Amino acid sequence: MNLTKIYFVLILFSGFFSFGFQSQDKKPLIDVIAEVEAKFDVKFSYSVTDVDQVFVDSIKKSESLQFIIDRLNANTNLNFKLLSERYITISTIEKTISLCGVLIDNIDQLPLLGASVVINNRSKGVITDIEGRFQLSNIPINETIEIRFLGFKSLTFKASELRSVNGFCKTIIMEEESQALNKILISKFLTTGLQKRIDGSTVLNTAKFGVLPGLTDPDVLQSIQALPGVESVNESIANINVRGGTNDQNLILWDGIKMYHSGHFFGLISAYNPYLTNQVVVTKNGTPSEFSDGVSSTINMSTKNEINNTFSGGFGANLMHADVFLEIPISKKLALHVSGRRSFTDVFNSPTYDNYFERSFQDSELTTNSDNISDGNRSSDFFFYDYTAKLLFDLNENHQFRANVIGINNNLDYTEVYTDNDDNVNSKTSNLQQENIGFGGSWNATWNDRFTTEASAFYSNYNVDATDNRIETNQQLTQANEVLETGFKLNTKYKINKYLHFLNGYQFSEIGILNETTVSAPSYEKTKKDVLLNHALFSEIEFNKNKTYLRIGVRGNYFQKFNKLIIEPRLNFRQKLSQQIAFKLQGEFKNQSANQIIDFQDDFLGVENRRWILANENDIPISKSKQVSLGFEFNKNNWLMDIEGFYKHVDGITASNQGFYNNFQFVNATGNYTAKGAEFLINKTANKYSTWLSYTYSQNNYKFQSFSPSVFPNNVDIRHSVSLAVNYNVLKHLELSVGGMWRSGQPYTKPVEDNETVRDGNDVLVNYSDPNSFNLDDFIRLDASLNYTFRVTEIMSGALRVGVFNVLGKQNVINRYYEVNPEDSNTAIQIDNKSLDLTPNMSLRFNF
């Protein structure tokens, strides 16, 4: 019996053994070719060097000629092509295959959504889906595939290495960059291209940015308003309020250049070209110690920083402007990136332009000038443009040099035609020009595996000039505000070990601000110029291991003019309590020496009435902020829930900085504001859609000790703010985005009932009641966008986008104030500024 079992096992083993050899029975391809030629009476045409040393499975009697050719095509790197029933060619050219793969990270083995998979020297590529998967078809077998993802090392493969075999895809492990401790925590946050870092900052990758409601082109400063705690109470990106702060309290950097101007059309369009502005990092709290200024937030923009050996670019237009950007490789070590954009609003008025014009200039001299001049005798000519250029030079893999330039310009001419007392027809033109020009350069050096340095310098020049010819008084008023800042910064980074990095640095800046006013009749001239030098040393240590992230730093600022030292500690801490739940704590001290004020509401034609000034430590102190926030985060199965409470106190603000419409409008005083509240966000992402709901509760109060009452609501005290949006891929190339926002109305001040005006000498003024004791009606707006992408040629793709702001056409009041009634000096009339009306827009773009 036992002997029988042994024989059975031996026979079974020999069967498996012989089967294994048969399954691995490989023969030289040249022998298989001879067999096929003899069996099917066909002839192969080939080069012996192509087929030499190639082994394939033996053919079987039951296999047809077509089946054999298909199998050889699938299992070799050769291209078998039937020219006729009898002749077959074999070559290594024009061989195309299908590719696929799955990307996972090397730490948590989780799929990576939003990674770029690009064919070198072509525009063709894809982005990985929510499972980290990608697929490409009809790819030449000898092509090189590059895989890139922010925070991870780029990988390069031959196309043959990623061949899809019987539906199975290669699993690719992406390794984190060793220098980047502050890694990406959430790769798809709200929409494609928005990411969240482990330190709580938000990253916008504009090249991958998905469509947002109402937008037809990526807009850097419009897009960040999708974040909780970031909004504009008057719809203007020139007035972005972060956790209750004013716009001038945001530090805005473009490739390390400090910017003092951010909008076209006086705040309705971002002035930064999104197609070369590759990445935007928004930090509300826990700011790295290398950054100061901006007591509210830091918005750090950077352009593409890699030399691409392929010429590429894009161009497009919407109903207000046209733009172009180019990436020009000069050599393997040298490249030039350029972009330009100009409006055609001075030659063509679209419905979009008409709505933007009415919204921007509704409370300026263009619409509120002399009653004796009819609309037919008024004309305006408005245009804007911007440009950027960046020179990239890689001396070698360890030393990189960069040089940048950026220019932003808005120009408005306003002409009035009138008849004088002698019946002569005359005309006078008023002008407003606003520009910001910046230059910058940097040197990045890697000295060894542990030590790197970065030296950078910049020059920034902001100008706003206005000439106002006032017909009713036969008076010419000229005004100018100029800011000139130069700066230098040196960063040193030392990698103590894989989990611990050490940053040290020095920064110097010199800022000068000029304010000038000239009046022709009566003759008057006032010029004021201030200069301030600042030296700063900063240091921080960053730790990230397992479930703990900690960044702690300190910055010392020395103001040479005042002989004053300000110490600013910084903290950013995140601790995972479980696989899905994390606790976070952030805190910072910051200062700011340059702020904007409003002398008179009709300054600069009433269009751009803010001007920059410098602290003098007398009536204009250096602003200082203290902020702390803590919260919890839940992340599981592509669901994100985030709740965060914050407390912010900013001291050293001036009354003229706030733009009051009340009894304090012309009073000089210093005070503070305190904002406290909570932000809540819930976000669900999937392969075809992304949806989010955010809610912010905030209480924001001023305190001016010399005022009565001394404590009252802030001008931007928005107690409740809700936004809801969904992005949905209707088809493979068609994406729909719909979203809405609701927020409580901002505060305003009414005149005293039955005593609306008061006489002050020869003047009659509005007699306001308690400041900001009333609120406007709630603000409600619904926006929508549609994005369709298509391929024009093998190297060119296109996109058609349609967007509508304020789909419901709701007339939201965004500001309210009062003036003395010119027909009855005992009463006041109400002036309402309204939001953007229903405004459609459309854009067409091509990228190559």
Side-chain angles (χ1 to χ4, degrees), residues 716-743:
V716 293
D717 177 35
I718 306 297
R719 294 296 173 93
H720 307 278
S721 179
V722 178
S723 66
L724 173 67
V726 60
N727 286 0
Y728 181 68
N729 290 94
V730 182
L731 299 171
K732 183 179 180 181
H733 299 288
L734 185 64
E735 183 180 3
L736 172 68
S737 181
V738 179
M741 65 178 72
W742 167 86
R743 62 172 180 256

mmCIF file of all heavy atoms in Angstrom, residues 716-743:
data_model
loop_
_atom_site.group_PDB
_atom_site.id
_atom_site.type_symbol
_atom_site.label_atom_id
_atom_site.label_comp_id
_atom_site.label_asym_id
_atom_site.label_seq_id
_atom_site.Cartn_x
_atom_site.Cartn_y
_atom_site.Cartn_z
ATOM 1 N N VAL A 716 -15.329 94.525 9.869
ATOM 2 C CA VAL A 716 -15.427 93.227 9.197
ATOM 3 C C VAL A 716 -15.862 92.140 10.179
ATOM 4 O O VAL A 716 -15.462 90.980 10.063
ATOM 5 C CB VAL A 716 -14.095 92.851 8.510
ATOM 6 C CG1 VAL A 716 -13.821 93.787 7.364
ATOM 7 C CG2 VAL A 716 -12.935 92.854 9.495
ATOM 8 N N ASP A 717 -16.700 92.529 11.108
ATOM 9 C CA ASP A 717 -17.240 91.562 12.081
ATOM 10 C C ASP A 717 -18.353 90.752 11.417
ATOM 11 O O ASP A 717 -19.527 91.117 11.485
ATOM 12 C CB ASP A 717 -17.758 92.308 13.313
ATOM 13 C CG ASP A 717 -18.392 91.357 14.329
ATOM 14 O OD1 ASP A 717 -17.892 90.219 14.452
ATOM 15 O OD2 ASP A 717 -19.387 91.748 14.964
ATOM 16 N N ILE A 718 -17.985 89.660 10.779
ATOM 17 C CA ILE A 718 -18.946 88.755 10.143
ATOM 18 C C ILE A 718 -19.153 87.585 11.097
ATOM 19 O O ILE A 718 -18.296 86.704 11.219
ATOM 20 C CB ILE A 718 -18.438 88.260 8.780
ATOM 21 C CG1 ILE A 718 -18.071 89.453 7.888
ATOM 22 C CG2 ILE A 718 -19.460 87.369 8.113
ATOM 23 C CD1 ILE A 718 -19.226 90.355 7.551
ATOM 24 N N ARG A 719 -20.299 87.562 11.788
ATOM 25 C CA ARG A 719 -20.509 86.553 12.823
ATOM 26 C C ARG A 719 -20.643 85.146 12.248
ATOM 27 O O ARG A 719 -20.116 84.184 12.813
ATOM 28 C CB ARG A 719 -21.760 86.909 13.639
ATOM 29 C CG ARG A 719 -21.626 88.179 14.454
ATOM 30 C CD ARG A 719 -20.541 88.035 15.524
ATOM 31 N NE ARG A 719 -20.266 89.283 16.208
ATOM 32 C CZ ARG A 719 -20.843 89.654 17.337
ATOM 33 N NH1 ARG A 719 -21.759 88.879 17.905
ATOM 34 N NH2 ARG A 719 -20.508 90.796 17.905
ATOM 35 N N HIS A 720 -21.380 85.018 11.163
ATOM 36 C CA HIS A 720 -21.625 83.685 10.597
ATOM 37 C C HIS A 720 -21.307 83.700 9.105
ATOM 38 O O HIS A 720 -21.722 84.611 8.377
ATOM 39 C CB HIS A 720 -23.079 83.272 10.809
ATOM 40 C CG HIS A 720 -23.536 83.355 12.230
ATOM 41 N ND1 HIS A 720 -23.277 82.368 13.148
ATOM 42 C CD2 HIS A 720 -24.214 84.332 12.897
ATOM 43 C CE1 HIS A 720 -23.789 82.717 14.320
ATOM 44 N NE2 HIS A 720 -24.365 83.915 14.195
ATOM 45 N N SER A 721 -20.584 82.680 8.654
ATOM 46 C CA SER A 721 -20.245 82.567 7.240
ATOM 47 C C SER A 721 -20.277 81.098 6.836
ATOM 48 O O SER A 721 -19.629 80.261 7.483
ATOM 49 C CB SER A 721 -18.855 83.162 6.970
ATOM 50 O OG SER A 721 -18.513 83.048 5.612
ATOM 51 N N VAL A 722 -21.037 80.790 5.788
ATOM 52 C CA VAL A 722 -21.198 79.405 5.325
ATOM 53 C C VAL A 722 -20.920 79.350 3.830
ATOM 54 O O VAL A 722 -21.361 80.214 3.067
ATOM 55 C CB VAL A 722 -22.626 78.881 5.586
ATOM 56 C CG1 VAL A 722 -22.789 77.457 5.053
ATOM 57 C CG2 VAL A 722 -22.944 78.931 7.076
ATOM 58 N N SER A 723 -20.167 78.350 3.405
ATOM 59 C CA SER A 723 -19.984 78.112 1.972
ATOM 60 C C SER A 723 -20.187 76.628 1.696
ATOM 61 O O SER A 723 -19.815 75.770 2.502
ATOM 62 C CB SER A 723 -18.594 78.553 1.507
ATOM 63 O OG SER A 723 -17.579 77.758 2.082
ATOM 64 N N LEU A 724 -20.792 76.340 0.560
ATOM 65 C CA LEU A 724 -21.103 74.971 0.147
ATOM 66 C C LEU A 724 -20.818 74.854 -1.333
ATOM 67 O O LEU A 724 -21.204 75.722 -2.126
ATOM 68 C CB LEU A 724 -22.567 74.637 0.431
ATOM 69 C CG LEU A 724 -23.100 73.296 -0.092
ATOM 70 C CD1 LEU A 724 -22.424 72.142 0.631
ATOM 71 C CD2 LEU A 724 -24.620 73.216 0.095
ATOM 72 N N ALA A 725 -20.134 73.797 -1.754
ATOM 73 C CA ALA A 725 -19.812 73.638 -3.170
ATOM 74 C C ALA A 725 -19.659 72.167 -3.513
ATOM 75 O O ALA A 725 -19.406 71.322 -2.641
ATOM 76 C CB ALA A 725 -18.528 74.398 -3.516
ATOM 77 N N VAL A 726 -19.826 71.862 -4.798
ATOM 78 C CA VAL A 726 -19.602 70.507 -5.306
ATOM 79 C C VAL A 726 -18.980 70.598 -6.692
ATOM 80 O O VAL A 726 -19.382 71.420 -7.510
ATOM 81 C CB VAL A 726 -20.922 69.695 -5.340
ATOM 82 C CG1 VAL A 726 -21.959 70.370 -6.242
ATOM 83 C CG2 VAL A 726 -20.671 68.262 -5.808
ATOM 84 N N ASN A 727 -17.960 69.797 -6.907
ATOM 85 C CA ASN A 727 -17.353 69.617 -8.225
ATOM 86 C C ASN A 727 -17.679 68.212 -8.695
ATOM 87 O O ASN A 727 -17.466 67.241 -7.955
ATOM 88 C CB ASN A 727 -15.826 69.779 -8.160
ATOM 89 C CG ASN A 727 -15.410 71.216 -8.004
ATOM 90 O OD1 ASN A 727 -16.246 72.108 -7.948
ATOM 91 N ND2 ASN A 727 -14.115 71.454 -7.926
ATOM 92 N N TYR A 728 -18.162 68.084 -9.927
ATOM 93 C CA TYR A 728 -18.589 66.765 -10.408
ATOM 94 C C TYR A 728 -18.134 66.571 -11.848
ATOM 95 O O TYR A 728 -18.365 67.435 -12.704
ATOM 96 C CB TYR A 728 -20.117 66.635 -10.325
ATOM 97 C CG TYR A 728 -20.631 65.283 -10.780
ATOM 98 C CD1 TYR A 728 -20.361 64.140 -10.035
ATOM 99 C CD2 TYR A 728 -21.362 65.158 -11.959
ATOM 100 C CE1 TYR A 728 -20.822 62.904 -10.437
ATOM 101 C CE2 TYR A 728 -21.826 63.921 -12.375
ATOM 102 C CZ TYR A 728 -21.556 62.797 -11.605
ATOM 103 O OH TYR A 728 -22.005 61.567 -12.027
ATOM 104 N N ASN A 729 -17.469 65.463 -12.103
ATOM 105 C CA ASN A 729 -17.079 65.094 -13.458
ATOM 106 C C ASN A 729 -18.252 64.429 -14.156
ATOM 107 O O ASN A 729 -18.489 63.238 -14.008
ATOM 108 C CB ASN A 729 -15.872 64.160 -13.437
ATOM 109 C CG ASN A 729 -14.608 64.872 -12.989
ATOM 110 O OD1 ASN A 729 -14.270 64.844 -11.815
ATOM 111 N ND2 ASN A 729 -13.937 65.513 -13.917
ATOM 112 N N VAL A 730 -19.019 65.220 -14.911
ATOM 113 C CA VAL A 730 -20.199 64.704 -15.593
ATOM 114 C C VAL A 730 -19.782 63.645 -16.605
ATOM 115 O O VAL A 730 -20.381 62.573 -16.698
ATOM 116 C CB VAL A 730 -20.950 65.854 -16.301
ATOM 117 C CG1 VAL A 730 -22.214 65.338 -16.971
ATOM 118 C CG2 VAL A 730 -21.285 66.959 -15.304
ATOM 119 N N LEU A 731 -18.765 63.942 -17.388
ATOM 120 C CA LEU A 731 -18.162 63.012 -18.334
ATOM 121 C C LEU A 731 -16.651 63.050 -18.121
ATOM 122 O O LEU A 731 -16.151 63.822 -17.296
ATOM 123 C CB LEU A 731 -18.518 63.404 -19.777
ATOM 124 C CG LEU A 731 -20.020 63.409 -20.129
ATOM 125 C CD1 LEU A 731 -20.227 64.031 -21.503
ATOM 126 C CD2 LEU A 731 -20.593 61.994 -20.081
ATOM 127 N N LYS A 732 -15.934 62.239 -18.886
ATOM 128 C CA LYS A 732 -14.493 62.162 -18.714
ATOM 129 C C LYS A 732 -13.845 63.524 -18.900
ATOM 130 O O LYS A 732 -12.907 63.887 -18.195
ATOM 131 C CB LYS A 732 -13.911 61.151 -19.701
ATOM 132 C CG LYS A 732 -12.409 60.951 -19.545
ATOM 133 C CD LYS A 732 -11.884 59.914 -20.520
ATOM 134 C CE LYS A 732 -10.379 59.724 -20.358
ATOM 135 N NZ LYS A 732 -9.848 58.727 -21.320
ATOM 136 N N HIS A 733 -14.347 64.330 -19.837
ATOM 137 C CA HIS A 733 -13.735 65.613 -20.141
ATOM 138 C C HIS A 733 -14.637 66.795 -19.795
ATOM 139 O O HIS A 733 -14.372 67.913 -20.218
ATOM 140 C CB HIS A 733 -13.377 65.676 -21.629
ATOM 141 C CG HIS A 733 -12.394 64.625 -22.049
ATOM 142 N ND1 HIS A 733 -11.076 64.663 -21.686
ATOM 143 C CD2 HIS A 733 -12.560 63.496 -22.788
ATOM 144 C CE1 HIS A 733 -10.450 63.620 -22.196
ATOM 145 N NE2 HIS A 733 -11.320 62.891 -22.865
ATOM 146 N N LEU A 734 -15.694 66.551 -19.034
ATOM 147 C CA LEU A 734 -16.650 67.613 -18.710
ATOM 148 C C LEU A 734 -16.847 67.681 -17.201
ATOM 149 O O LEU A 734 -17.260 66.700 -16.575
ATOM 150 C CB LEU A 734 -17.990 67.355 -19.399
ATOM 151 C CG LEU A 734 -19.064 68.451 -19.239
ATOM 152 C CD1 LEU A 734 -18.599 69.748 -19.891
ATOM 153 C CD2 LEU A 734 -20.385 67.988 -19.853
ATOM 154 N N GLU A 735 -16.543 68.853 -16.618
ATOM 155 C CA GLU A 735 -16.617 69.030 -15.167
ATOM 156 C C GLU A 735 -17.546 70.191 -14.834
ATOM 157 O O GLU A 735 -17.473 71.257 -15.452
ATOM 158 C CB GLU A 735 -15.222 69.301 -14.602
ATOM 159 C CG GLU A 735 -15.186 69.420 -13.083
ATOM 160 C CD GLU A 735 -13.789 69.698 -12.549
ATOM 161 O OE1 GLU A 735 -12.864 69.848 -13.375
ATOM 162 O OE2 GLU A 735 -13.632 69.790 -11.322
ATOM 163 N N LEU A 736 -18.410 69.969 -13.863
ATOM 164 C CA LEU A 736 -19.362 70.974 -13.407
ATOM 165 C C LEU A 736 -19.034 71.359 -11.973
ATOM 166 O O LEU A 736 -18.718 70.495 -11.144
ATOM 167 C CB LEU A 736 -20.790 70.429 -13.488
ATOM 168 C CG LEU A 736 -21.910 71.296 -12.871
ATOM 169 C CD1 LEU A 736 -22.093 72.571 -13.679
ATOM 170 C CD2 LEU A 736 -23.216 70.506 -12.807
ATOM 171 N N SER A 737 -19.103 72.645 -11.670
ATOM 172 C CA SER A 737 -18.863 73.126 -10.311
ATOM 173 C C SER A 737 -19.945 74.127 -9.937
ATOM 174 O O SER A 737 -20.182 75.090 -10.667
ATOM 175 C CB SER A 737 -17.482 73.785 -10.216
ATOM 176 O OG SER A 737 -17.234 74.234 -8.900
ATOM 177 N N VAL A 738 -20.608 73.873 -8.823
ATOM 178 C CA VAL A 738 -21.668 74.751 -8.329
ATOM 179 C C VAL A 738 -21.411 75.026 -6.852
ATOM 180 O O VAL A 738 -21.080 74.108 -6.096
ATOM 181 C CB VAL A 738 -23.063 74.121 -8.514
ATOM 182 C CG1 VAL A 738 -24.143 75.053 -7.976
ATOM 183 C CG2 VAL A 738 -23.327 73.801 -9.982
ATOM 184 N N GLY A 739 -21.548 76.271 -6.456
ATOM 185 C CA GLY A 739 -21.327 76.594 -5.055
ATOM 186 C C GLY A 739 -22.025 77.870 -4.654
ATOM 187 O O GLY A 739 -22.330 78.726 -5.483
ATOM 188 N N GLY A 740 -22.259 77.984 -3.378
ATOM 189 C CA GLY A 740 -22.916 79.174 -2.857
ATOM 190 C C GLY A 740 -22.319 79.593 -1.534
ATOM 191 O O GLY A 740 -21.642 78.810 -0.860
ATOM 192 N N MET A 741 -22.550 80.838 -1.173
ATOM 193 C CA MET A 741 -22.088 81.335 0.120
ATOM 194 C C MET A 741 -23.194 82.166 0.763
ATOM 195 O O MET A 741 -23.990 82.822 0.077
ATOM 196 C CB MET A 741 -20.809 82.154 -0.035
ATOM 197 C CG MET A 741 -20.959 83.436 -0.819
ATOM 198 S SD MET A 741 -19.415 84.391 -0.914
ATOM 199 C CE MET A 741 -18.473 83.371 -2.038
ATOM 200 N N TRP A 742 -23.220 82.078 2.057
ATOM 201 C CA TRP A 742 -24.137 82.900 2.846
ATOM 202 C C TRP A 742 -23.361 83.408 4.044
ATOM 203 O O TRP A 742 -22.617 82.671 4.688
ATOM 204 C CB TRP A 742 -25.343 82.088 3.324
ATOM 205 C CG TRP A 742 -26.130 82.811 4.392
ATOM 206 C CD1 TRP A 742 -27.112 83.722 4.225
ATOM 207 C CD2 TRP A 742 -25.955 82.678 5.826
ATOM 208 N NE1 TRP A 742 -27.571 84.173 5.425
ATOM 209 C CE2 TRP A 742 -26.885 83.555 6.438
ATOM 210 C CE3 TRP A 742 -25.107 81.929 6.640
ATOM 211 C CZ2 TRP A 742 -26.985 83.683 7.809
ATOM 212 C CZ3 TRP A 742 -25.195 82.059 8.016
ATOM 213 C CH2 TRP A 742 -26.143 82.924 8.590
ATOM 214 N N ARG A 743 -23.508 84.676 4.321
ATOM 215 C CA ARG A 743 -22.894 85.217 5.528
ATOM 216 C C ARG A 743 -23.747 86.356 6.054
ATOM 217 O O ARG A 743 -24.477 87.011 5.304
ATOM 218 C CB ARG A 743 -21.469 85.697 5.263
ATOM 219 C CG ARG A 743 -21.325 86.814 4.251
ATOM 220 C CD ARG A 743 -19.893 87.331 4.210
ATOM 221 N NE ARG A 743 -19.716 88.401 3.247
ATOM 222 C CZ ARG A 743 -19.129 88.263 2.072
ATOM 223 N NH1 ARG A 743 -18.681 87.078 1.715
ATOM 224 N NH2 ARG A 743 -18.998 89.297 1.256
#
